Amino acid sequence: GDKAFAQFLTDEIKEEKKIQKHKSLPKVSGGWELEVHGTEAKLVRKIAGEKITVTFNINNSIPPSAEDDTQEEQKPDEQEPELTSTPNFVVEVIKDDTKQTLVLDCHYPEDEIGHEGEEESDIFTIREVSFQPTGESDWKDTNYTLNTDSLDWALYDHLMDFLADRGVDNTFADELIELSTALEHQEYIKFLEDLKSFVKCQ
Protein backbone atom coordinates (compact mmCIF):
# COMPACT_ATOMS: atom_id res chain seq x y z
CA GLY A 1 0.00 0.00 0.00
CA ASP A 2 2.75 2.46 0.94
CA LYS A 3 4.57 1.80 -2.32
CA ALA A 4 1.49 2.61 -4.38
CA PHE A 5 0.92 5.69 -2.21
CA ALA A 6 4.49 6.90 -2.78
CA GLN A 7 4.15 6.32 -6.53
CA PHE A 8 0.88 8.25 -6.59
CA LEU A 9 2.55 11.13 -4.74
CA THR A 10 5.48 11.12 -7.17
CA ASP A 11 3.10 11.49 -10.12
CA GLU A 12 1.03 14.08 -8.30
CA ILE A 13 4.12 16.20 -7.53
CA LYS A 14 5.16 16.02 -11.18
CA GLU A 15 1.70 17.19 -12.29
CA GLU A 16 1.56 20.00 -9.75
CA LYS A 17 5.01 21.24 -10.77
CA LYS A 18 3.89 21.25 -14.39
CA ILE A 19 0.98 23.60 -13.66
CA GLN A 20 2.94 25.76 -11.21
CA LYS A 21 2.73 29.28 -12.59
CA HIS A 22 5.47 30.90 -10.55
CA LYS A 23 8.83 29.34 -9.83
CA SER A 24 9.49 32.23 -7.49
CA LEU A 25 6.84 34.21 -5.65
CA PRO A 26 5.31 37.11 -7.58
CA LYS A 27 6.16 40.59 -6.35
CA VAL A 28 3.60 43.04 -5.04
CA SER A 29 4.05 46.44 -6.68
CA GLY A 30 4.41 49.60 -4.65
CA GLY A 31 7.56 48.85 -2.70
CA TRP A 32 6.26 46.17 -0.33
CA GLU A 33 8.87 43.98 1.34
CA LEU A 34 7.82 40.35 1.73
CA GLU A 35 8.66 38.06 4.64
CA VAL A 36 7.41 34.48 4.65
CA HIS A 37 7.35 32.19 7.68
CA GLY A 38 5.82 28.89 6.63
CA THR A 39 2.19 29.57 5.82
CA GLU A 40 2.24 33.11 7.14
CA ALA A 41 3.30 36.00 4.96
CA LYS A 42 3.89 39.60 5.89
CA LEU A 43 4.17 42.58 3.57
CA VAL A 44 5.80 45.72 4.96
CA ARG A 45 5.89 49.20 3.51
CA LYS A 46 7.20 52.41 5.05
CA ILE A 47 5.91 55.82 4.09
CA ALA A 48 6.54 59.19 5.72
CA GLY A 49 6.19 58.67 9.46
CA GLU A 50 4.29 55.41 9.13
CA LYS A 51 4.86 51.73 8.80
CA ILE A 52 2.16 49.62 7.16
CA THR A 53 2.16 45.86 7.53
CA VAL A 54 -0.21 43.40 5.91
CA THR A 55 -0.25 39.89 7.32
CA PHE A 56 -2.06 36.83 5.98
CA ASN A 57 -1.98 33.08 6.39
CA ILE A 58 -2.61 30.73 3.48
CA ASN A 59 -4.12 27.99 5.62
CA ASN A 60 -7.83 27.61 4.83
CA SER A 61 -7.57 30.38 2.26
CA ILE A 62 -9.05 28.46 -0.69
CA PRO A 63 -12.80 28.92 -0.75
CA PRO A 64 -14.79 25.69 -1.12
CA SER A 65 -15.71 25.25 -4.76
CA ALA A 66 -19.37 25.72 -5.51
CA GLU A 67 -19.26 23.30 -8.42
CA ASP A 68 -19.12 20.11 -6.38
CA ASP A 69 -22.47 18.88 -7.64
CA THR A 70 -21.64 19.30 -11.33
CA GLN A 71 -18.51 17.17 -11.27
CA GLU A 72 -20.15 14.29 -13.18
CA GLU A 73 -20.64 16.44 -16.25
CA GLN A 74 -17.01 17.41 -16.51
CA LYS A 75 -15.41 16.11 -19.67
CA PRO A 76 -12.23 14.16 -19.07
CA ASP A 77 -10.03 16.53 -21.05
CA GLU A 78 -11.24 19.69 -19.33
CA GLN A 79 -8.76 21.47 -17.11
CA GLU A 80 -9.71 21.54 -13.48
CA PRO A 81 -10.73 25.05 -12.49
CA GLU A 82 -7.78 26.96 -11.08
CA LEU A 83 -7.74 27.16 -7.32
CA THR A 84 -7.41 30.67 -6.02
CA SER A 85 -6.31 31.55 -2.53
CA THR A 86 -8.22 34.49 -1.04
CA PRO A 87 -6.99 34.78 2.53
CA ASN A 88 -8.28 37.15 5.14
CA PHE A 89 -5.62 39.77 5.74
CA VAL A 90 -4.84 42.16 8.56
CA VAL A 91 -3.55 45.65 7.86
CA GLU A 92 -1.68 47.41 10.66
CA VAL A 93 -0.87 51.08 10.42
CA ILE A 94 1.77 52.19 12.89
CA LYS A 95 2.51 55.88 13.24
CA ASP A 96 6.00 56.68 14.50
CA ASP A 97 4.86 59.12 17.14
CA THR A 98 2.03 57.20 18.81
CA LYS A 99 1.89 54.10 20.96
CA GLN A 100 -1.20 52.94 19.08
CA THR A 101 -1.53 50.71 16.05
CA LEU A 102 -4.65 50.92 13.93
CA VAL A 103 -5.63 47.38 12.95
CA LEU A 104 -8.00 46.67 10.07
CA ASP A 105 -9.23 43.16 9.53
CA CYS A 106 -10.02 42.65 5.84
CA HIS A 107 -11.42 39.83 3.80
CA TYR A 108 -12.52 38.91 0.29
CA PRO A 109 -16.29 38.45 0.17
CA GLU A 110 -17.00 35.19 -1.64
CA ASP A 111 -19.54 36.61 -4.07
CA GLU A 112 -17.29 39.44 -5.24
CA ILE A 113 -14.53 37.36 -6.77
CA GLY A 114 -14.71 37.21 -10.53
CA HIS A 115 -17.03 40.19 -11.07
CA GLU A 116 -14.47 42.18 -13.01
CA GLY A 117 -17.16 44.04 -14.91
CA GLU A 118 -18.17 46.25 -12.01
CA GLU A 119 -15.26 48.63 -11.75
CA GLU A 120 -16.54 50.60 -8.77
CA SER A 121 -16.93 47.69 -6.40
CA ASP A 122 -14.05 46.89 -4.11
CA ILE A 123 -12.79 43.34 -4.22
CA PHE A 124 -12.12 43.30 -0.50
CA THR A 125 -13.99 44.61 2.51
CA ILE A 126 -13.01 45.80 5.96
CA ARG A 127 -14.60 43.62 8.61
CA GLU A 128 -13.27 45.02 11.86
CA VAL A 129 -11.22 47.96 13.05
CA SER A 130 -9.51 48.38 16.38
CA PHE A 131 -6.58 50.05 18.11
CA GLN A 132 -3.92 47.85 19.62
CA PRO A 133 -0.88 48.80 21.68
CA THR A 134 2.12 49.00 19.33
CA GLY A 135 4.63 46.20 19.65
CA GLU A 136 2.48 43.81 21.66
CA SER A 137 1.98 40.48 19.99
CA ASP A 138 -1.09 39.56 21.99
CA TRP A 139 -4.05 41.69 21.16
CA LYS A 140 -6.40 42.48 23.96
CA ASP A 141 -10.05 41.54 23.76
CA THR A 142 -10.71 44.43 26.08
CA ASN A 143 -9.92 46.95 23.34
CA TYR A 144 -12.96 48.27 21.54
CA THR A 145 -13.44 46.59 18.17
CA LEU A 146 -15.56 48.31 15.59
CA ASN A 147 -17.55 45.89 13.46
CA THR A 148 -18.30 47.36 10.04
CA ASP A 149 -21.63 45.58 9.56
CA SER A 150 -23.62 48.43 11.04
CA LEU A 151 -21.25 51.23 10.14
CA ASP A 152 -22.15 54.57 8.62
CA TRP A 153 -21.15 54.14 4.96
CA ALA A 154 -19.41 57.53 4.84
CA LEU A 155 -17.10 56.47 7.66
CA TYR A 156 -16.53 53.15 5.91
CA ASP A 157 -15.62 54.95 2.67
CA HIS A 158 -13.13 57.10 4.53
CA LEU A 159 -11.54 53.98 6.01
CA MET A 160 -11.25 52.45 2.53
CA ASP A 161 -9.69 55.68 1.22
CA PHE A 162 -7.35 55.72 4.21
CA LEU A 163 -6.15 52.25 3.18
CA ALA A 164 -5.94 53.17 -0.51
CA ASP A 165 -3.74 56.17 0.34
CA ARG A 166 -1.36 53.71 1.97
CA GLY A 167 -1.24 51.40 -1.01
CA VAL A 168 -3.92 48.93 0.05
CA ASP A 169 -6.36 49.17 -2.84
CA ASN A 170 -7.92 46.86 -5.44
CA THR A 171 -4.65 46.50 -7.35
CA PHE A 172 -2.92 45.51 -4.15
CA ALA A 173 -5.72 43.10 -3.26
CA ASP A 174 -5.46 41.48 -6.71
CA GLU A 175 -1.71 41.07 -6.37
CA LEU A 176 -2.16 39.68 -2.88
CA ILE A 177 -4.44 36.96 -4.30
CA GLU A 178 -1.78 36.15 -6.89
CA LEU A 179 0.97 36.02 -4.26
CA SER A 180 -1.12 33.99 -1.85
CA THR A 181 -2.15 31.52 -4.55
CA ALA A 182 1.49 31.02 -5.58
CA LEU A 183 2.57 30.62 -1.97
CA GLU A 184 -0.25 28.17 -1.26
CA HIS A 185 0.70 26.09 -4.30
CA GLN A 186 4.37 26.11 -3.33
CA GLU A 187 3.51 24.95 0.19
CA TYR A 188 1.18 22.27 -1.19
CA ILE A 189 3.95 20.82 -3.38
CA LYS A 190 6.33 20.92 -0.42
CA PHE A 191 3.70 19.12 1.67
CA LEU A 192 3.33 16.39 -0.97
CA GLU A 193 7.12 15.99 -1.06
CA ASP A 194 7.29 15.72 2.73
CA LEU A 195 4.43 13.24 2.71
CA LYS A 196 6.21 11.16 0.09
CA SER A 197 9.43 11.05 2.17
CA PHE A 198 7.37 10.19 5.23
CA VAL A 199 5.54 7.35 3.49
CA LYS A 200 8.76 5.93 2.03
CA CYS A 201 10.60 6.12 5.35
CA GLN A 202 11.14 2.61 6.71
Side-chain angles (χ1 to χ4, degrees):
D2 284 4
K3 224 188 207 124
F5 191 9
Q7 186 50 54
F8 167 78
L9 288 168
T10 305
D11 297 342
E12 193 71 8
I13 290 163
K14 222 183 274 158
E15 281 307 302
E16 289 295 334
K17 282 193 167 155
K18 222 187 290 177
I19 60 170
Q20 193 172 19
K21 275 209 286 208
H22 304 278
K23 292 290 167 260
S24 61
L25 293 172
K27 292 255 183 294
V28 175
S29 58
W32 294 89
E33 297 288 311
L34 173 66
E35 300 166 23
V36 179
H37 306 285
T39 59
E40 186 170 89
K42 187 182 201 174
L43 290 157
V44 182
R45 180 173 189 241
K46 291 191 171 75
I47 51 175
E50 291 183 7
K51 177 175 153 190
I52 296 106
T53 66
V54 177
T55 319
F56 64 92
N57 195 317
I58 57 164
N59 280 338
N60 307 319
S61 65
I62 298 198
S65 65
E67 292 90 49
D68 285 346
D69 41 355
T70 54
Q71 286 294 250
E72 296 81 55
E73 299 153 30
Q74 203 177 14
K75 302 178 185 55
D77 56 348
E78 270 184 34
Q79 272 291 300
E80 280 187 28
E82 263 183 53
L83 294 177
T84 307
S85 161
T86 50
N88 297 341
F89 59 96
V90 175
V91 183
E92 294 173 58
V93 180
I94 302 157
K95 287 195 189 263
D96 292 349
D97 49 1
T98 69
K99 302 269 181 289
Q100 300 267 52
T101 299
L102 183 65
V103 179
L104 302 103
D105 200 336
C106 303
H107 78 136
Y108 294 96
E110 275 165 35
D111 49 357
E112 286 298 322
I113 308 294
H115 294 283
E116 274 94 34
E118 309 150 24
E119 272 308 291
E120 307 80 77
S121 76
D122 292 298
I123 59 172
F124 71 96
T125 59
I126 303 170
R127 239 191 333 208
E128 290 182 346
V129 188
S130 67
F131 279 111
Q132 297 296 345
T134 301
E136 292 197 19
S137 53
D138 293 333
W139 290 342
K140 299 185 171 44
D141 289 337
T142 51
N143 288 7
Y144 179 76
T145 300
L146 175 68
N147 192 309
T148 56
D149 290 345
S150 51
L151 198 57
D152 174 351
W153 62 265
L155 175 54
Y156 182 82
D157 280 350
H158 278 298
L159 284 168
M160 287 300 269
D161 291 343
F162 176 84
L163 283 182
D165 290 342
R166 284 153 181 79
V168 180
D169 52 13
N170 275 349
T171 308
F172 172 86
D174 266 332
E175 291 179 358
L176 186 104
I177 290 178
E178 182 113 339
L179 168 64
S180 181
T181 302
L183 182 61
E184 202 283 332
H185 199 204
Q186 185 179 295
E187 285 294 316
Y188 175 61
I189 292 172
K190 195 167 144 296
F191 173 79
L192 290 178
E193 286 169 339
D194 290 348
L195 185 58
K196 187 176 94 177
S197 320
F198 186 83
V199 170
K200 283 172 96 165
C201 173
Q202 294 308 324

